[in-house]
Amino acid sequence: MSKESFHINGESLLKKVKELIEEGNVRKITITDRSGKEIASFPLTVGIVGALLLPMLAAIGAIAALVTECTITVEREEEPVQEENHEE
């Protein structure tokens, strides 16, 4: 797994999380405040859709209303490396 972090303001939080979910290879999203304290962590399973996302997005919307700045840490599933077979 690889990790990536984004420093954003509260207004952009929900939009950024939705973008990350649409990418499809995100396995976990953790939101921390400016001091590094974890506010929330959301595991994402393969195939999570629609109604299953609504409670998570509602919680993220509430967090966005309370924080001015935060960091999103994203754990991504690494793409499998395909090896090429060279026969001579």
Side-chain angles (χ1 to χ4, degrees):
M1 290 231 187
S2 63
K3 287 188 179 185
E4 186 176 6
S5 294
F6 303 93
H7 299 282
I8 60 172
N9 61 28
E11 296 171 3
S12 304
L13 178 61
L14 190 57
K15 180 181 176 186
K16 184 64 176 176
V17 168
K18 286 181 180 179
E19 289 173 6
L20 291 167
I21 291 170
E22 288 176 11
E23 290 178 18
N25 63 343
V26 174
R27 294 295 157 243
K28 183 177 179 183
I29 295 175
T30 303
I31 302 170
T32 55
D33 65 12
R34 282 194 287 186
S35 65
K37 180 181 174 189
E38 184 176 309
I39 299 170
S41 182
F42 302 96
L44 299 173
T45 58
V46 175
I48 189 169
V49 291
L52 298 175
L53 286 175
L54 292 178
M56 182 186 77
L57 295 176
I60 292 170
I63 292 167
L66 297 173
V67 298
T68 54
E69 291 179 32
C70 61
T71 301
I72 300 174
T73 302
V74 180
E75 290 183 21
R76 297 180 186 273
E77 191 74 27
E78 291 186 17
E79 299 294 322
V81 176
Q82 295 185 4
E83 294 182 22
E84 294 180 23
N85 290 332
H86 295 285
E87 294 184 22
E88 294 181 26

